[in-house]
Every structure is written in C-alpha cells, then in structure tokens.
Amino acid sequence: MSDFLKKGFLLGLGAAVTGKEKLDSKLQQMVEKNELTQEQARTVMRNFMDKGEMKTDEWNTKQFEQTQQMAKDLGLATKEDINELRARISELESQLAEREQQESQ
C-alpha cells in the first residue's frame, strides 16, 4: 500500500474511532436525560457500526482494484496471470509427452 494511501486509511480509522466514542458519549447522555431508551441507543450504535463495516468493505474493494490496476500499469504479473501460464505450460507438456510417446512407438 502506498504511504499516501496508508496515511489516508489511518486518518479515516482515527476519525471513525473518535466518531464512535463521541456518538457513544452522546447516546449515553440522551439515555440519561430519557430522550432515548437504552434499546434505541443500542440500535443507533449498531447502525453506526454496520455502516462502518460497509465502508471498510468498500475501502478494501477499492484498494484491491487500485492495486490490481497499478500492477497492470507496471506490467507486473498477477496471480491469475501466473496460474494461467502454469496451466498452459502443463497443457503443452502433456501434448509434448503424447507426441514423444507416439514417435517412440
């Protein structure tokens, strides 16, 4: 992961943690003032956490796509490329072995 992306991720993570702590504090205040029930506060926090997990999944997907694109732009072989080449080599080796066997008969 590039240093720039890593710093951005850590900044976002820090903001999320701070946001969670502030939200939790505010929800507890609202429960104490009887503006919310404990169950409502849990629901709000659960929704906040679920949204955070969705954003994390989106981030991971985008990061993977960007990494794949960078590898492609640099001309680096991906796992898929290597596996495809291995399959082709195995197929060619099988064909060569068949020809050699046929020629020796």
Side-chain angles (χ1 to χ4, degrees):
M1 179 182 318
S2 76
D3 196 41
F4 178 73
L5 292 174
K6 190 175 191 177
K7 286 179 183 178
F9 175 74
L10 293 175
L11 179 63
L13 183 60
V17 169
T18 301
K20 179 184 179 282
E21 290 170 355
K22 286 184 179 182
L23 177 62
D24 188 43
S25 174
K26 182 64 176 172
L27 290 172
Q28 289 308 316
Q29 289 174 6
M30 292 177 78
V31 168
E32 289 169 8
K33 294 178 183 177
N34 290 325
E35 295 174 357
L36 281 178
T37 66
Q38 192 66 35
E39 185 59 35
Q40 289 170 327
R42 274 190 230 115
T43 300
V44 170
M45 184 57 77
R46 195 174 316 117
N47 289 341
F48 178 80
M49 298 297 290
D50 289 346
K51 188 172 184 177
E53 287 176 18
M54 282 179 19
K55 289 295 180 185
T56 299
D57 291 343
E58 287 177 24
W59 170 264
N60 289 337
T61 300
K62 285 182 182 180
Q63 179 63 33
F64 178 76
E65 290 170 356
Q66 288 176 343
T67 302
Q68 292 291 75
Q69 187 60 46
M70 285 185 348
K72 184 178 178 183
D73 291 347
L74 293 171
L76 301 176
T78 63
K79 265 186 176 179
E80 292 82 17
D81 294 336
I82 292 169
N83 289 336
E84 192 175 302
L85 288 171
R86 284 183 178 148
R88 288 177 61 193
I89 290 169
S90 292
E91 177 66 27
L92 291 171
E93 287 174 339
S94 294
Q95 290 175 4
L96 182 60
E98 283 179 28
R99 284 188 185 173
E100 288 175 349
Q101 188 178 18
Q102 288 174 353
E103 289 176 1
S104 66
Q105 291 178 354

